[in-house]
Amino acid sequence: MIAKQADVVAALTAEVLEGVPEQFSKDVHDVRPHPGQKLAASRLRHLMHASNLHLPDAGKFASEIIKSRLDRESGSKSKKVQDVYSIRCIPQVHGVVHETIAFVKHILTTEINSVTDNPMVMINRETPETASAGNFHGEYPGKSLDQIAIAIHEIANISERRIERLVHPDYIKEPIDFPGFLVGGQEGLNNGFMILQYTAAALVSENKVLTHPSTVDSITTSGGTEDHVSMGTYAARKALTVVENVEH
């Protein structure tokens, strides 16, 4: 859900900043056909009403904001060609997040429907008996939770860059002519939305520490018997904190 919400928010931001929706065209993403990338691009096209912007009467299909840009550029030698990476590359960044979520869901679904005891009672053998093995090892869930933390963090990482573009005085002056930090009233007495970007930057910076993989670590315990451990519990705790930060 959080990744789908990120696509919607990204589309809104790209539209307000008068992004170039042609960069989300279907044929552009068909030649690099990662499923997640194609999914994100498709959502952006539909949300921005940009599926037909390659047609001669593109303005007929565009949203009001995009249509306004197209009208201004009509007959003009000055035309916006491309956006900054945080807008232009939304499908590529969000796409791998969608695929990582699907991968992790598969891993965790398999895990919670598995037997991870030790020893295990093998009742289906010809002679039922116990078996000591390694199904308890948490590498699968641990590694997948490290990956989900990194993936979800990237949603916030790129989103924070777009937040700055919504409030930075230099970025919103042209062409949408909004006041710096979206201040409503006398500057100096009103900070507008400046602190909003501070908060986003702080959460993203915290996540950069939390996304260091837990499972690259191991420490020997139990007199040397347990000489490789997954650190999966810590991976789970960190992943939950990262997700909560991104939700904020």
Side-chain angles (χ1 to χ4, degrees):
M1 179 60 73
I2 192 172
K4 187 174 182 179
Q5 290 173 337
D7 288 345
V8 175
V9 172
L12 289 168
T13 307
E15 186 164 18
V16 168
L17 293 173
E18 296 194 338
V20 182
E22 293 89 340
Q23 59 209 0
F24 308 132
S25 296
K26 184 177 183 299
D27 55 357
V28 169
H29 299 278
D30 283 344
V31 297
R32 194 192 188 198
H34 292 295
Q37 177 178 328
K38 293 179 67 176
L39 173 64
S42 175
R43 282 181 179 154
L44 288 163
R45 286 196 303 274
H46 286 88
L47 289 166
M48 298 176 71
H49 304 285
S51 298
N52 300 292
L53 287 183
H54 62 286
L55 299 176
D57 55 350
K60 167 183 172 184
F61 303 98
S63 68
E64 289 299 315
I65 297 176
I66 299 301
K67 184 177 179 181
S68 174
R69 177 178 66 80
L70 293 173
D71 289 343
R72 286 199 314 272
E73 292 177 351
S74 179
S76 171
K77 293 182 180 180
S78 176
K79 181 180 179 181
K80 189 175 185 181
V81 177
Q82 62 187 23
D83 289 302
V84 295
Y85 287 7
S86 60
I87 296 175
R88 196 192 333 167
C89 303
I90 294 169
Q92 290 80 3
V93 176
H94 285 202
V96 72
V97 177
H98 290 305
E99 292 192 49
T100 301
I101 290 172
F103 170 76
V104 171
K105 181 180 179 180
H106 170 74
I107 294 292
L108 295 183
T109 299
T110 301
E111 186 70 14
I112 63 177
N113 287 285
S114 298
V115 176
T116 57
D117 296 326
N118 188 58
M120 296 181 293
V121 180
M122 313 305 292
I123 62 174
N124 292 326
R125 291 182 177 178
E126 185 174 344
T127 301
E129 58 185 345
T130 61
S132 293
N135 279 1
F136 59 85
H137 201 287
E139 195 77 1
Y140 267 106
K143 275 284 191 292
S144 63
L145 290 165
D146 275 341
Q147 291 180 46
I148 202 69
I150 293 170
I152 296 299
H153 161 69
E154 274 305 288
I155 288 177
N157 203 15
I158 194 171
S159 178
E160 185 275 329
R161 291 293 79 209
R162 292 192 297 267
I163 290 173
E164 188 197 26
R165 301 199 79 82
L166 286 170
V167 299
H168 195 295
D170 294 339
Y171 297 153
I172 60 176
K173 182 64 179 176
E174 295 291 342
I176 53 180
D177 196 26
F178 284 175
F181 304 113
L182 305 180
V183 172
Q186 185 177 348
E187 294 186 20
L189 297 178
N190 189 332
N191 288 327
F193 286 86
M194 179 175 66
I195 304 303
L196 179 68
Q197 192 264 326
Y198 283 20
T199 304
L203 290 169
V204 166
S205 294
E206 180 181 347
N207 282 351
K208 289 175 182 177
V209 176
L210 293 171
T211 51
H212 178 80
S214 299
T215 52
V216 299
D217 188 22
S218 179
I219 191 165
T220 301
T221 57
S222 191
T225 302
E226 300 172 1
D227 58 351
H228 182 279
V229 294
S230 69
M231 300 294 185
T233 300
Y234 186 42
R237 287 167 48 207
K238 291 200 301 90
L240 181 59
T241 302
V242 169
V243 170
E244 289 174 345
N245 285 347
V246 174
E247 287 176 336
H248 290 316

